[in-house]
Amino acid sequence: MKLKDILLINIKKLKTKTKKALFLIIPIFVLITLSVILSSQITNIQEAMTQSVFGTISQKFTLIEVKTETTAFDPSKAFNTTSSVEDNRFSALDETTIGTIDGVVSVSLQTTLPVKNAQTTDLFTDKTVSFSSLSTLDTTAAAIYTTSDFTYTEGEAIPIILNASALTYSYEDWGDSTEITMDTSSITRGQGGVAQRLSFLKTEAISYDKDSLIGTTFTMSVGGLDSIQDYTMDRSSGSMVIKQLTDDEMATKVSDRETAISTYWDYDKISTPITYTFVVVGIVDDNTANTTYVPQDFGDILVTDYVAHEIASRNGTDIPTTVLNSTFTGVTYDGVEVKTSSSGMMGQMAKRMESSSSTSGSANTTHERPTDGGLGLGGEFGSTGYYIPGLVIQVDSSNNVTGAVSDSDVYATSTKYGDYLDVVIDNVVNRTAVIEDINNAGYAYQDTDDVAVFDKLQSTLSTVSSVFMISFIVLVSALVAFTMSKFISESIREIGIFRAIGMRKSSILTMFISQSLLYVLIGYAVGIGLGIALNFAAGYLVSGWFNTFLADTVAKTFNVVNTVDKGVFFGINFTSIGIYTALLIGISSIISVITSLSASKVSPVEAIKNE
Amino acid sequence: MDNILEVKKLTKKYKDGDIEVTALDNVSFSLPEGFDLAILGPSGSGKTTLLQLAGGLDTMTSGDVIISGQSIKNMSDTEISDFRNMTMGFIFQMINLHDFFTAKENVMLPMLVAGVNRLEAEEKALKLLEKVGLSPRANHLPKQLSGGEQQRVAVARALANDPKIIFADEPTGKLDKMNSKLVIDILESLSHENGMSVIMITHDENIAKRFSRVIKLENGSVKNK
């Protein structure tokens, strides 16, 4: 029998037995309608998230900052003499290890540069901004914070990504007195500024406009001598007495320092910082390292210049080892790495001193002091060492001083260690998986709850999508199997008649398979049309829900308040529709064949007897 | 004279639970071309079984059936289906028209199964319906026809491919006297007109008298020769 005639039989049956046909057609069109709406809206929500949230900070979530445990201050490591390997800090080896993880695009060691007294007066009127920490950042990680090219080009302003925490200024507020007494019973020695702040040392944020700041060119000086502390601290009486030095006392301190330094260095030269011109290309306000970033390829240049400046400032007198790391301090070099003692107590105090800047002109709040002094850590801590910018002190394996390094390339050729690894991943949706792999590789990292919000929503959407697809497969299979079995069992007589007049088994098989597929395709066509039409209505509803969701949850967490245009939610996911179409036709075909085989096996005698 | 039908030691046995039932036991007869045959017998005598086996609707346990010189015993299902379509016509007691086809379409069906062009089939179906007096009802569904009219459509359907044999299983069983006579008259005249043989199961002796040959079956065996 011709296929065309078989199909016409099925169409004829459909016209006269429409109610029965609807048992299959309706569920199919409902399933298809749902699949169109669900798959499209899931995609639309993900797109909306990309636009509203990820678009703003998605790049941020492709950065994972892995840090070592040694970033926490450990009092037992004051005046640290252990190597970075012993401290378990990161090195190039860790870059390689993490770089092999799936989904990781780049890994770079965030190296803190061993320089001090980086500051500028150009950014804000009458305010000096100090940068307590300068670190290097590679171009891939820098792309998280800036669209500018983050590389060093000789002769051009050096790109810099400021840390918002540096945009503060510190000053001393003594009020009307020159002496302050503090109850120190709650302070534990060695805990730095944790337990109680020195009440006269104030720090205020400088208000700034991010868009205005970006693109600003400014000059930064690096080096020069430390500010001399203009007060003493005495705990001998059981409480802490903080006393301002008099002008004479300050002048004496300055003079003493100049005398000491002039023994080995040209004082004017060594006290003059080196300067660079930078251009602001980005501002970071939430990284955990609290550091300002310079290009990776500029790091070696800066430190080399820093050290070269010290070497060039020497007056030719040999510097005895007895004064190195005692009277005069700098950084140490053990043949492998150039190291600051930033994890020790001296480093912590040094940082607090550095963060002070001076302002001028404010009555009752500021006290001008000579700023070209040494690191007067007198009083409580008792040290009188003078910090020499760029001084690299050679030490042996037992940390004994062997001399001052005279090679300005010492840093460029040394092994770099760091407390942070900047890991950039290919896609924010892979963040959780990559973090798991990082943890499994032995590096501790845990995301905050804020990030978990997105992961949860993403994974929920994925789960819903997967569950629906599985349900779709199961339901289509069950529907076709059940309804076709029912059609066939109710068609035994009909089959018998066909067989009696000479219709072959193969034609019977074809007839029932095509009947099943005909009903499925009708349901499909209606479902697609209805699904696309209803998708627009669903889009309205979902857009309303989504913007409310943004305002109630995400916007509070991430300060993102952008709403998403309704048009995003009218999108149709044709790829998913294609997948569901293939699934529908594939499953229906297979199930139709299986159930129709039973029809072809019906004996004409049994069929007629069944009457 | 050639035989249109030869039945040779035809036996049909089947299992009813644990019991083996012999529906037909070693039945043999032949029917020359152009002759008609009535099969008489009480209920359960094996009449329907004989008709079903002779028409290739069921499989035989042993024996053979030769129609127009061709043995159907070893034919495959496809071969016997094609043979049945082109060589035989069937009329059933329960009429058995497709309820979703019109009268015309029901008559066209055997021709479409044979691969005949739709227009040709339609033309011939209308001619056949005219012969059975149902031209005006060509586009009616079976539910719109009376029992007698439906059976006349079934007769037209059985004649669609110009068969050599028509097997009729008590075609008047559900009809009243008037329609019964009408159907038998039509069958008789058309078969003589086209030279086809009619094999009919009946329990009505009066109808059986109108046939050139009669077989009486009892308990699956032929009781007369």
Side-chain angles (χ1 to χ4, degrees), chain A residues 332-373:
Chain A
T332 59
Y333 177 63
D334 62 0
V336 176
E337 61 171 317
V338 174
K339 202 173 172 199
T340 60
S341 58
S342 60
S343 61
M345 191 181 298
M346 286 193 50
Q348 293 289 321
M349 280 302 300
K351 280 199 170 156
R352 281 206 298 281
M353 297 309 156
E354 281 176 64
S355 67
S356 299
S357 314
S358 60
T359 62
S360 57
S362 304
N364 296 328
T365 60
T366 62
H367 295 260
E368 291 271 2
R369 293 293 179 206
T371 57
D372 49 343

Side-chain angles (χ1 to χ4, degrees), chain A residues 18 51 53 59 86 147 160 163 182 190 199 273 281 286 336 341-342 346 415 422 434 442 452 463 567 571 574 586:
Chain A
T18 311
Q51 280 188 22
V53 177
Q59 284 217 298
E86 292 167 89
T147 53
I160 188 167
N163 193 296
M182 288 172 67
S199 57
V281 297
D286 61 355
V336 176
S341 58
S342 60
M346 286 193 50
T415 302
D422 288 321
V434 173
T463 303
F574 287 106

Side-chain angles (χ1 to χ4, degrees), chain A residues 81 333-335 393-403:
Chain A
T81 58
Y333 177 63
D334 62 0
I393 301 168
Q394 183 96 42
V395 296
D396 63 17
S397 56
S398 305
N399 260 320
N400 299 315
V401 173
T402 58

Side-chain angles (χ1 to χ4, degrees), chain A residues 48-63:
Chain A
M49 283 172 67
T50 301
Q51 280 188 22
S52 65
V53 177
F54 289 142
T56 308
I57 55 173
S58 64
Q59 284 217 298
K60 174 192 157 182
F61 283 114
T62 59
L63 174 68

Side-chain angles (χ1 to χ4, degrees), chain A residues 7 138 154 227:
Chain A
L7 292 174
D138 75 322
E154 195 177 348
S227 304

